[in-house]
Amino acid sequence: MMPLEVQNNQSFDLAAIPFEDRKNFRDAVLEELSNGNRMIGLYPIEKTHSEKLIALFAEPDSSMIHIIGGIFDEHNLQFESWANEFPQTNYYECELSENYGYLPLNHPWLRPVRKQNFILGDKPYHFYRMDGEEIHEVAVGPIHAGVIEPGHFRFQCHGELVYNLEINLGYQHRGIEKLLLNSNPLQRIILSESIAGDTVIGHSHAHCNAIENLSNTQVSFRAQVVRSIAEEIERIAMHLSGLGGVANDIGFALVSSSYGRLRTLAINSLALLCGSRFGRGLFIYGGVRFDYTDEIIEETIANLQIIKNDVAVINEYLFSSTGVLTRFENTGIISKESAQQIGMVGLAARSSGLENDARVQFPYGAYRYNPVSLITLSSGDVFARARLRALEIDESLKFINDQLENLPQGEIKTNVENIIAKKGVISITEGWRGEIIHTVFTDEKGNLALYKIKDPSFNNWYGLSLALRRTAISDFPLCNKSFDLSYAGHDL
Amino acid sequence: MKEVIKVRILQGDPIVHDVRHAQFPPLYRGLPSIADKPCFDNCRKCVDVCPTSAIELNPVRINLGLCVFCPLCEETCPERIIHFTNDYHLSASFEEQLIVTKETNKITPEKASEKIKKYFGKSLKLRQISAGGCNGCELELNALSNVNFDMGRYGIEFVASPRHADGVVLTGPITKNMTKATDICFEAVPHPKIIILFGACAISGGIFQNSDQIEREFLMKNKIDLFIPGCPPHPLTFINGLLDWLDKKG
C-alpha cells in the first residue's frame, strides 16, 4: 500500500488517505517502521468512527509525513502489536487501547496512560514489581516535594541502585482535546496556550499553523518572523530554567540563582512584546496581535546582550567545576540506540546523538527561510542534556539578533478565511522540549472533527525511566530535571 | 575562585526592592478599568468574545476570577469602555471583590483575623498543590523564590511537606484525578490552616470551566482565604496580596 505523503502544514483531502483491511494495515505499518520511519501518531480519524484508524510516520530525510489508514471490524478492535519489534509504538498502542478500546495482541507491557490503575476499560493494573531479598520499593507522588506538577513514580531498588522506574501519569488530565472540538475559535487559542504553560508559544504556534492551513490563510512574513522570535525567546527562557534546575539539584546555588535571574530577563522580553511573561495573547489566527516597535527591539536586544555576556561566564564556571562534572557525567545515560528504539524526540534525543529537530527537518514558518543549526551531542547523560541547553541558547540568541536586525516590513495580521470541509492537516513545531504535533481534521460542515495533540513529553517520559536504570536513586531529581518533561502536556 | 567572584559580581543587585510600586512593561494587563460610559445600542461584543464568560452587562462587570487577561474585550469594545491598566494589585479575600465595575479603582484584600496574623504574621509556610495547573502558575510560584522576587525576605516560603505547612496554594482547575490527593494533602496540614487560590483555573475553572474532567467539590467543602487572579498571576500580585492580607509592610 502506498501511504499518503504530505509535508508539515500541508492540508490534504481526507478522502486521499488510503484505507486498507486489518492485515494490510499491519503490514504497511511494519514496512514504515522497517524503513526507519518514526511513528508520530496512531488514532481513529474521529471519535465516532473508532474502527477507522490512521497511523502517522515521520520521514525526516525527505521532510515528509506518511499517513496510512486501516479499517477494523467495530466489534473486533484487535491488532497484532508492533511493539515487540519496534518499542517506539508501545505507548501509542497503550493510548489507543485506553481511549478507544483497541486490544493490541501480544503487547509487551500494556500500561495506563492517563487513567490510574486501570487498563482495557476496567481491568485493575498492577505496577511492575521486583521480588527478592533486600529489594525495596519507593513510591513518590502524585504530589512531589517542590512546586511542581503531579505524577506518580515507583522505583524498584536494591540498596541505592534503581532497577526499574515506572512512571504513572494522568493527574493533570483536563480533557483538552475534547474541549478544543467543542470551543469557539477565540477559546481555542487560549486552550492551546494552556496545553503546557511552559510551552505557550510552541503549542499556540502549532495550533495557529494548523487552523491557518485548513483555511488557506496566508500569514505575512513579518508575522512569521515575530512568531519565531517569540519561540526562540521561550526556548532561551526554559533552557535557562533547566540549567538553573540541574545546578540547584546538585546544590550549586550561585549558578542556579544566576540562571534564574537571566531567565527573568528573557521572559520579561516576551512581556515587552505582548504583556505576558509567557507569550500569552501574542498569537491570533492570521498572524500576531502585537508588533515589534523600535523601542521594544532596542530593549529586547539589550536584554539579550546581557544574557549572552553573563551566560558565557556562568557556563564557564558551571562546566569547568570538577564537582559538577562528577555529578553530570555518566549519570542517567540514554544510548543513541535506546533513544532511537523508543522514539525519543527533541532536546533529549539530540543529547543522545539523534538528529531530531523539526525546525530543520520539518521546517515551518520563518525557519523555512532562516534556518537554525541542528546541534547534537553524543554522550546522552545529564552532562549532554545540560550542555546542549547552553549551546542552543547561543544558537537561539544568534537567530533572534539576526531576525530583529532585519525584521521584514509588512502587516502583522491577515484576514482568516473559513475552514474548509473534509480536510486534514498535520502541524509540527519544535517546542523547547522537542517535537509538538497537532493533527486536525474537519467534517463536511467545516467544523473540527479530530484534534489530536502530541507533546514531546509523550515520547520522552519513557526515556527518563530508562535513564534511571542502574542509576542511584539519589540521582533521580537530577536526571528528572535534565529531561524537564511536561506533565500537563502529556496528560492533556 | 576567580569565576565565583566574576559570577557574583555579574549577579549585581537584581532584587525588586519596592514590591509595592514596581515598574511593569506598558503592555502588561492588570486591573481592568471600566469607563463610565453607556454601551451603544445593546452592544454585547465584549460578552460574545470573552473566552471564559467573565463579563456581564448593564452595567459592565468583569469577574477577575474567570478572566484570563487576554485583551479580546478591550480590542473589541467600540466605545473603548474596557481597558487593562498596569495595576498588579489584584488579590482579593472574598469572591465579590473580584467583580470589577466602573466604581472599582483598587482591589485590596481585607485584613486577616487577629488570630491568623498572630500565628502567621512573621512566618508563613505554604504547600503548593498543582491540580491540573498547566505549569504556568507553577513557574510563577517558583519565580517567587528566585533572586528577583525573593519572597523569603518576608518570612513566606514554600515547604515540601504539608505537615510543615500553614496552608496550601492551589493551582489548576482541580482535575478528577487530583481530587483525592488534594483532599489528603490538605487534611495533612495542621490547624489553623489557610487556602490560597492562585490563577483563574483554581478560582473558577477558567478556560477549563466546561470540562467534564474537573471536579471542584474541594472548594465547596473549605473556606478560601485569598484569591489571586491572573493567567498566570504575576509573582508580585501574590506577594502584595499576602502582605496586605497579613498587614505587613512591603
Side-chain angles (χ1 to χ4, degrees):
Chain A
M1 156 162 85
M2 283 299 289
L4 172 65
E5 295 192 10
V6 291
Q7 288 180 332
N8 185 12
N9 285 319
Q10 178 193 349
S11 81
F12 52 89
D13 286 325
L14 292 184
I17 302 175
F19 278 94
E20 297 270 346
D21 65 13
R22 197 171 86 176
K23 185 178 173 306
N24 286 342
F25 174 69
R26 188 188 136 71
D27 291 345
V29 170
L30 263 188
E31 194 185 322
E32 288 284 339
L33 293 166
S34 307
N35 289 340
N37 297 340
R38 184 167 49 84
M39 184 175 266
I40 55 170
L42 179 69
Y43 30 79
I45 51 161
E46 266 182 63
K47 204 132 208 160
T48 48
H49 286 287
S50 56
E51 75 282 359
K52 284 182 94 174
L53 205 59
I54 51 166
L56 278 61
F57 297 88
E59 191 185 20
D61 293 342
S62 61
S63 300
M64 293 307 259
I65 300 157
H66 297 187
I67 309 170
I68 47 183
I71 296 191
F72 287 71
D73 174 358
E74 60 182 302
H75 303 294
N76 185 19
L77 298 176
Q78 297 187 354
F79 59 89
E80 188 72 26
S81 168
W82 304 280
N84 291 299
E85 210 178 329
F86 297 98
Q88 52 164 305
T89 69
N90 172 348
Y91 213 36
Y92 289 103
E93 292 176 24
C94 292
E95 190 192 30
L96 181 67
S97 170
E98 181 167 297
N99 289 353
Y100 301 99
Y102 274 81
L103 175 66
L105 299 166
N106 297 319
H107 188 281
W109 187 355
L110 206 56
R111 300 179 288 150
V113 178
R114 297 183 185 96
K115 276 189 180 156
Q116 273 120 48
N117 309 325
F118 288 104
I119 49 168
L120 298 172
D122 55 355
K123 270 198 191 163
Y125 173 77
H126 300 287
F127 288 103
Y128 179 82
R129 231 190 116 102
M130 230 166 81
D131 281 322
E133 225 174 301
E134 294 180 19
I135 296 288
H136 63 274
E137 181 182 79
V138 181
V140 191
I143 298 180
H144 300 272
V147 179
I148 178 177
E149 297 175 76
H152 183 69
F153 298 82
R154 288 231 179 175
F155 301 88
Q156 307 295 324
C157 303
H158 181 242
E160 270 277 282
L161 270 197
V162 177
Y163 280 78
N164 188 58
L165 158 62
E166 188 165 359
I167 300 170
N168 182 224
L169 301 172
Y171 295 92
Q172 302 282 68
H173 181 54
R174 296 146 291 165
I176 285 197
E177 289 170 348
K178 190 172 165 193
L179 277 175
L180 276 164
L181 295 183
N182 300 332
S183 300
N184 69 41
L186 300 168
Q187 292 170 324
R188 286 201 301 252
I189 295 193
I190 312 274
L191 275 169
S192 74
E193 290 172 346
S194 305
I195 293 165
D198 46 34
T199 320
V200 172
I201 306 287
H203 273 289
S204 48
H205 199 172
H207 173 70
C208 287
N209 278 348
I211 299 297
E212 283 151 6
N213 285 290
L214 282 173
S215 56
N216 279 339
T217 304
Q218 287 293 328
V219 180
S220 76
F221 192 42
R222 185 178 177 93
Q224 292 180 22
V225 172
V226 173
R227 286 176 171 187
S228 291
I229 292 171
E231 196 172 311
E232 294 308 316
I233 296 179
E234 178 173 271
R235 194 180 318 279
I236 292 171
M238 288 314 294
H239 280 3
L240 286 167
S241 164
L243 283 166
V246 287
N248 184 52
D249 279 338
I250 56 168
F252 211 24
L254 177 61
V255 164
S256 172
S257 62
S258 293
Y259 283 126
R261 164 178 64 94
L262 297 177
R263 171 180 171 264
T264 306
L265 271 183
I267 56 177
N268 284 352
S269 305
L270 266 182
L272 283 176
L273 172 64
C274 67
S276 157
R277 292 173 12 121
F278 298 90
R280 285 173 185 267
L282 177 62
F283 278 72
I284 51 173
Y285 296 147
V288 286
R289 180 176 272 127
F290 303 99
D291 200 0
Y292 271 108
T293 61
D294 290 344
E295 213 180 347
I296 299 174
I297 291 176
E298 202 178 310
E299 208 168 328
T300 305
I301 288 181
N303 282 348
L304 297 178
Q305 191 58 44
I306 297 175
I307 294 177
K308 192 178 171 192
N309 290 343
D310 292 12
V311 117
V313 179
I314 303 164
N315 285 346
E316 175 67 29
Y317 181 32
L318 179 75
F319 292 109
S320 66
S321 304
T322 329
V324 173
L325 296 180
T326 313
R327 291 295 306 274
F328 282 9
E329 283 180 337
N330 295 320
T331 304
I333 300 173
I334 295 284
S335 68
K336 188 175 177 181
E337 290 70 37
S338 298
Q340 186 143 33
Q341 275 181 358
I342 64 172
M344 267 169 56
V345 296
L347 175 95
R350 294 196 288 278
S351 304
S352 292
L354 283 185
E355 288 187 4
N356 184 300
D357 189 331
R359 292 173 297 169
V360 177
Q361 293 169 328
F362 297 94
Y364 53 96
Y367 299 114
R368 283 174 296 177
Y369 318 104
N370 307 309
V372 289
S373 314
L374 193 159
I375 311 169
T376 60
L377 292 173
S378 57
S379 56
D381 49 6
V382 172
F383 172 82
R385 288 185 286 274
R387 185 76 195 141
L388 190 63
R389 282 181 166 89
L391 297 173
E392 291 193 356
I393 288 172
D394 292 343
E395 180 68 18
S396 297
L397 285 169
K398 192 167 145 277
F399 178 86
I400 298 171
N401 265 323
D402 287 353
Q403 302 307 316
L404 281 178
E405 276 166 18
N406 307 300
L407 209 53
Q409 296 301 312
E411 295 295 311
I412 52 164
K413 35 189 135 173
T414 46
N415 284 334
V416 185
E417 309 294 327
N418 286 335
I419 292 180
I420 304 166
K422 292 200 209 164
K423 289 271 184 187
V425 73
I426 295 153
S427 171
I428 307 181
T429 58
E430 184 76 12
W432 61 271
R433 281 191 189 91
E435 174 194 80
I436 292 168
I437 304 180
H438 288 214
T439 307
V440 194
F441 288 3
T442 62
D443 63 13
E444 53 284 336
K445 290 189 194 124
N447 296 320
L448 304 192
L450 168 89
Y451 205 107
K452 191 80 195 81
I453 301 159
K454 189 202 69 72
D455 189 85
S457 308
F458 184 86
N459 307 91
N460 286 3
W461 273 112
Y462 194 63
L464 175 62
S465 273
L466 288 189
L468 255 286
R469 290 202 180 157
R470 310 286 286 175
T471 298
I473 191 167
S474 47
D475 276 332
F476 171 68
L478 181 60
C479 291
N480 188 24
K481 197 69 207 178
S482 74
F483 278 84
D484 204 0
L485 300 175
S486 172
Y487 301 74
H490 170 282
D491 294 348
L492 298 175
Chain B
M1 192 63 199
K2 211 170 71 199
E3 282 101 350
V4 191
I5 297 166
K6 261 201 235 166
V7 173
R8 181 61 193 89
I9 290 171
L10 284 177
Q11 185 84 317
D13 180 22
I15 199 166
V16 178
H17 286 281
D18 185 357
V19 294
R20 297 291 192 184
H21 311 93
Q23 270 283 329
F24 272 59
L27 287 170
Y28 167 79
R29 294 179 290 280
L31 181 69
S33 73
I34 297 171
D36 190 5
K37 285 199 276 192
C39 297
F40 192 67
D41 266 359
N42 295 326
C43 168
R44 311 177 31 87
K45 282 183 179 160
C46 59
V47 176
D48 293 340
V49 295
C50 181
T52 53
S53 313
I55 306 178
E56 288 186 63
L57 293 179
N58 304 321
V60 180
R61 309 184 289 284
I62 303 181
N63 183 345
L64 292 190
L66 283 157
C67 181
V68 289
F69 295 82
C70 72
L72 278 165
C73 53
E74 180 175 358
E75 65 188 19
T76 311
C77 178
E79 302 291 306
R80 304 224 158 260
I81 291 175
I82 302 171
H83 168 64
F84 284 93
T85 71
N86 239 321
D87 183 359
Y88 57 94
H89 300 266
L90 301 168
S91 304
S93 47
F94 52 94
E95 268 178 280
E96 290 72 26
Q97 268 192 305
L98 294 170
I99 313 288
V100 173
T101 64
K102 63 178 197 285
E103 279 87 27
T104 313
N105 54 26
K106 196 175 183 344
I107 301 180
T108 316
E110 282 188 5
K111 307 252 179 293
S113 68
E114 286 305 317
K115 182 183 166 193
I116 291 288
K117 276 197 275 186
K118 182 167 162 270
Y119 271 91
F120 302 144
K122 287 189 175 146
S123 155
L124 178 64
K125 305 290 175 215
L126 296 165
R127 169 66 241 190
Q128 189 260 346
I129 304 175
S130 170
C134 67
N135 206 21
C137 286
E138 288 75 4
L139 282 172
E140 288 299 46
L141 288 171
N142 272 315
L144 284 162
S145 316
N146 72 17
V147 286
N148 303 101
F149 301 114
D150 186 27
M151 189 170 60
R153 64 183 136 157
Y154 303 110
I156 308 168
E157 273 171 345
F158 289 102
V159 291
S161 168
R163 293 194 192 279
H164 301 159
D166 303 318
V168 296
V169 181
L170 194 79
T171 58
I174 314 188
T175 54
K176 280 184 181 166
N177 291 347
M178 270 305 283
T179 49
K180 195 173 159 197
T182 305
D183 284 339
I184 295 172
C185 180
F186 186 60
E187 206 185 302
V189 179
H191 288 282
K193 50 185 164 186
I194 62 167
I195 300 178
I196 300 171
L197 300 184
F198 190 82
C201 289
I203 299 174
S204 66
I207 192 72
F208 299 108
Q209 57 189 293
N210 297 322
S211 168
D212 55 7
Q213 297 297 318
I214 65 175
E215 169 61 64
R216 295 174 57 76
E217 210 188 300
F218 176 81
L219 302 180
M220 316 291 154
K221 293 184 294 200
N222 298 294
K223 183 189 164 288
I224 310 304
D225 296 281
L226 211 52
F227 301 85
I228 324 277
C231 184
H234 196 278
L236 288 178
T237 306
F238 185 79
I239 293 183
N240 277 282
L242 274 175
L243 293 180
D244 287 336
W245 187 62
L246 292 170
D247 203 10
K248 291 169 82 145
K249 274 198 288 199

